[in-house]
Amino acid sequence: MPTIVACFKWVIDEAYIRAGPSGEVDLSSVSWKLSDYDRNAIEEAVRLRDEHGGTVIAATVGAPGATKGIKDALSRGPDRACVAADEGFRDLEPSQTAALLAAMVSGPIGAYDLVLCGEGSSDLYAQQVGPRLAEKLGIPCVCFAQKVSLEGRRVIVERRVEEGVEVLEAPLPALVTVLPDINSPRIPGVRDTLMASKKPVETLSAGDLPPVPAARTETVELRTARLERTCERFGAEPAEIVRFVDALRRRNVLT
Amino acid sequence: MAGVWILAEEHREVLELLHVGRGIADGLGTSLSALTLQAREEADECIACGADEVLLLPPLAEDQSLDAYAGVIADEARKEQPRVFLVAGTSRGRDLAARVAARLDAGLCSQCTALEIDDTREGILMKRLIYGGAAVQSLRCTTRPAMATIPPRTFDPAPAREGRTGQVRQLPHPQPSPVRIVERRVRERETRDLADARVVVAVGRGFAAEDDLGLARELAEVLGGEIGCTRPLSEEMHWLPDQACIGLSGVQVKPELYLGIGISGQIQHLTGVRGAKVIAAVNQDENAPIFGAADLGMVGDLYQVLPALVREMRKQS
Ligand SMILES: Cc1cc2nc3c(=O)[nH]c(=O)nc-3n(C[C@H](O)[C@H](O)[C@H](O)COP(=O)(O)OP(=O)(O)OC[C@H]3O[C@@H](n4cnc5c(N)ncnc54)[C@H](O)[C@@H]3O)c2cc1C
């Protein structure tokens, strides 16, 4: 019966990001969410557990105070969570996140068979944590899975590539990153949320892990990406349809 | 020889990275090496198009995937100490780049859309989108090599020049990867290329059924355009091929006219249409975010609007 680690990140919801007066990123009114594709990773872990038995551990590294995120993750079905929280874990870059997750997975989490990650986080979307983590753990890795199955001590993965699909197999333990079309993540109900608060959470602090390695990249500037458009409005009545087509014609985009 | 390295699987991407790589190598006053899986004959073309050196990766066994090269590439990089290493950002390329970066403990800028020599003239400054495309991050790697993946078609291919010379070297065979390919399913590639289309009619989840896409196809035909879509339509519903997906994780389009229909306008999608001359949208929800990013926005039910638009355009043309 497999032990599956599903990694997740608690992130700023990009839909609430505003532009400051001179184009700086205004995060004053943001809320937080469970990173989109990590929901797929958790769902897939739970699905595999329901099929094969075993345990799902939801794992994350981040700044303290993301307790809502742990509850959200657990309400989606994992059996327990392992969380490394420290002020020094804020704004980590992918190489640092991967190093800390590797220390968690090979240390406190201990024995595991499969690690699942989302294809990328919805904030940085660097698509590096999965493969970097696999390298740190010294295990095989398959990225961009649209289908995952376990057969004995092997994982079979359909991964999407530019020209179609590659079906790959790897011995366990292995790491797989999943695409959003692998499943439809559940929407937790009240009961799931209540159950989540009863599940065990192992909390690690910086002292329980090796020191955070130095960042390998440095952000020089962060600006909002502007999309400035004229925002002319039209209705759907016949006269408006005519006005709309005229507007297209005036802009010389019709042949 | 170890200045700027480039690595791409496909010919078009090799040329594209040679173009960017040549500029960076010149700026840093160093050489350009191309790592390639292409046949030996193509090495001369790489040299003509800017490479000073071509490093040939030996062909892989049938059941081996690209990640098998991670060890060979990392070993070579440890020996040669390149300053910059650019990799084409295809699925396999992104995966391989992250693994090589992990092995070298190097920084990697994922899906870099612009890059230039930094003020110190030592390294490069790179730009990428974060927060789904809502913000642009400028970053530099604090390591050597400074690594980046570059989405295909971000830059023009390098032109060939007469009389360039260079070296060709074979890299050692890789150790077999524990990951084995058991099957390859090649899908027919759509011949039309969205990235070059003059008009793009994009469809979203506002369409209730696959058959209804006929309405958009008809409009695209009148406009002489191609059909694109949002990610849920290609990835969840599979109504259109993956290459039709526009946005952060799909293609970037730069048509004269982009017309988004039944699309809410989430930032990850809009990021892909930034380069359109005119953005128009049809959505029944007057508060849909796409209206804030469109030049012309029509509030209405696409099932009524599309046939009326087609009629009107036919009438006027
Ligand atoms: C990391 C990451 C990367 C992503 N990359 C991409 C990407 O590259 N491309 C992409 O597209 N998405 C991407 N997404 C997903 C993106 O966030 C949105 O979920 C997606 O673009 C929404 O698609 P949609 O607009 O078709 O659907 P919805 O958001 O569901 O919008 C449907 C719209 O249709 C309208 N509508 C419904 N019925 C009608 C009608 N009868 N007439 C007119 N209008 C109607 C509704 O008002 C609504 O606004 C990404 C997400 C993440 C987290």
Side-chain angles (χ1 to χ4, degrees):
Chain A
M1 292 206 288
T3 300
I4 305 175
V5 179
C7 301
F8 72 92
K9 186 176 184 185
W10 187 241
V11 298
I12 282 173
D13 189 336
E14 67 281 359
Y16 294 91
I17 291 177
R18 300 284 167 262
S22 45
E24 71 273 18
V25 175
D26 174 3
L27 299 177
S28 61
S29 56
V30 296
S31 65
W32 293 68
K33 65 175 180 179
L34 190 65
S35 180
D36 294 51
Y37 302 148
D38 295 347
R39 301 175 201 202
N40 299 93
I42 292 173
E43 185 68 37
E44 196 59 17
V46 170
R47 189 190 69 75
L48 288 167
R49 178 204 58 201
D50 292 349
E51 191 179 326
H52 298 275
T55 313
V56 173
I57 305 161
T60 191
V61 177
T67 39
K68 255 176 82 188
I70 300 160
K71 228 172 133 183
D72 187 340
L74 284 174
S75 69
R76 294 163 188 272
D79 302 282
R80 56 192 177 90
C82 183
V83 178
D86 191 89
E87 212 28 73
F89 298 165
R90 201 178 282 283
D91 296 328
L92 297 173
E93 60 120 342
S95 65
Q96 297 172 308
T97 307
L100 291 170
L101 283 173
M104 278 169 79
V105 172
S106 55
I109 290 181
Y112 66 94
D113 301 287
L114 183 66
V115 181
L116 293 176
C117 298
E119 87 171 276
S121 62
S122 38
D123 56 351
L124 298 182
Y125 197 46
Q127 304 170 301
Q128 291 180 31
V129 168
R132 280 189 185 262
L133 173 56
E135 287 290 332
K136 292 268 173 239
L137 293 170
I139 58 173
C141 164
V142 183
C143 292
F144 311 119
Q146 56 182 24
K147 195 169 170 201
V148 179
S149 50
L150 293 173
E151 280 177 23
R153 294 298 298 159
R154 293 174 311 154
V155 60
I156 317 286
V157 179
E158 285 188 14
R159 68 132 71 176
R160 211 169 55 227
V161 292
E162 274 65 21
E163 72 281 0
V165 173
E166 277 176 356
V167 185
L168 305 112
E169 61 164 47
L172 296 180
L175 184 144
V176 175
T177 76
V178 303
L179 290 175
D181 61 337
I182 194 161
N183 55 40
S184 306
R186 70 193 63 196
I187 298 162
V190 178
R191 199 167 149 266
D192 301 314
T193 313
L194 286 176
M195 287 204 348
S197 11
K198 300 203 182 79
K199 291 180 179 176
V201 178
E202 183 178 2
T203 314
L204 308 171
S205 59
D208 302 316
L209 295 171
V212 186
R216 304 275 138 192
T217 59
E218 142 192 290
T219 300
V220 180
E221 192 184 43
L222 193 59
R223 315 275 304 164
T224 48
R226 281 174 187 270
L227 256 179
E228 272 170 28
R229 298 287 171 171
T230 54
C231 302
E232 233 178 292
R233 286 291 182 114
F234 298 81
E237 315 78 77
E240 289 290 276
I241 299 271
V242 175
R243 196 163 74 83
F244 185 79
V245 175
D246 280 345
L248 289 175
R249 173 147 298 119
R250 263 185 286 110
R251 287 170 192 249
N252 287 323
V253 291
L254 299 183
T255 40
Chain B
M1 213 185 304
V4 177
W5 276 17
I6 62 133
L7 167 65
E9 279 179 272
E10 297 289 337
H11 187 66
R12 166 73 166 74
E13 293 145 13
V14 172
L15 294 184
E16 197 176 324
L17 293 193
L18 282 172
H19 201 179
V20 192
R22 187 69 258 166
I24 296 292
D26 289 344
L28 294 174
T30 184
S31 61
L32 175 63
S33 303
L35 280 75
T36 163
L37 297 74
Q38 312 276 321
R40 172 68 186 79
E41 303 80 71
E42 314 242 344
D44 294 335
E45 191 187 356
C46 286
I47 292 168
C49 293
D52 299 305
E53 180 187 47
V54 179
L55 304 177
L56 298 170
L57 287 159
L60 290 172
E62 187 58 18
D63 70 348
Q64 288 287 295
S65 63
L66 199 71
D67 65 85
Y69 288 127
V72 171
I73 294 172
D75 287 346
E76 189 67 21
R78 275 190 212 100
K79 268 207 310 261
E80 297 283 325
Q81 301 283 322
R83 283 160 74 172
V84 174
F85 185 10
L86 309 176
V87 180
T90 54
S91 315
R92 282 183 291 245
R94 280 174 275 159
D95 179 357
L96 181 61
R99 294 211 219 181
V100 171
R103 286 178 189 228
L104 297 175
D105 229 336
L108 167 63
C109 168
S110 304
Q111 302 306 73
C112 167
T113 53
L115 68 173
E116 58 183 36
I117 310 287
D118 73 13
D119 309 333
T120 65
R121 311 206 68 73
E122 281 292 304
I124 52 173
L125 196 59
M126 301 172 275
K127 284 193 164 67
R128 66 181 303 263
L129 293 167
I130 65 169
Y131 296 129
V136 182
Q137 177 189 27
S138 304
L139 69 154
R140 74 159 67 88
C141 292
T142 54
T143 57
R144 264 190 188 197
M147 294 185 66
T149 54
I150 297 185
R153 307 196 64 114
T154 305
F155 300 101
D156 291 329
R161 278 191 281 137
E162 292 285 318
R164 281 193 49 88
T165 55
Q167 297 168 14
V168 181
R169 195 150 63 84
Q170 182 83 41
L171 291 177
H173 273 276
Q175 293 290 323
S177 161
V179 180
R180 283 188 49 242
I181 300 181
V182 291
E183 193 189 333
R184 284 191 177 84
R185 287 188 230 135
V186 178
R187 98 169 99 52
E188 258 179 62
R189 240 188 192 292
E190 290 278 286
T191 45
R192 289 165 303 210
D193 212 327
L194 268 188
D196 296 328
R198 199 190 57 82
V199 172
V200 172
V201 175
V203 293
R205 241 188 324 217
F207 284 80
E210 186 175 359
D211 283 345
D212 303 344
L213 296 184
L215 293 169
R217 291 217 163 83
E218 207 181 340
L219 182 61
E221 203 180 304
V222 178
L223 289 167
E226 305 295 343
I227 295 276
C229 67
T230 59
R231 199 171 191 193
L233 258 64
S234 55
E235 292 229 346
E236 287 163 32
M237 264 88 98
H238 302 286
W239 289 352
L240 286 161
D242 308 323
Q243 312 95 281
C245 169
I246 295 169
L248 186 66
S249 35
V251 288
Q252 310 278 314
V253 296
K254 33 186 182 322
E256 295 277 296
L257 171 64
Y258 161 93
L259 179 52
I261 300 163
I263 290 175
S264 60
Q266 296 303 312
I267 186 71
Q268 291 90 356
H269 176 74
L270 289 180
T271 288
V273 307
R274 197 171 284 283
K277 186 176 146 212
V278 173
I279 296 182
V282 176
N283 194 306
Q284 67 183 10
D285 172 8
E286 61 176 324
N287 295 318
I290 198 162
F291 290 128
D295 298 296
L296 312 174
M298 177 175 283
V299 183
D301 182 343
L302 70 92
Y303 289 93
Q304 266 118 55
V305 169
L306 292 198
L309 271 179
V310 168
R311 268 197 306 276
E312 182 59 27
M313 283 176 188
R314 286 227 165 96
K315 198 161 75 195
Q316 291 201 17
S317 63

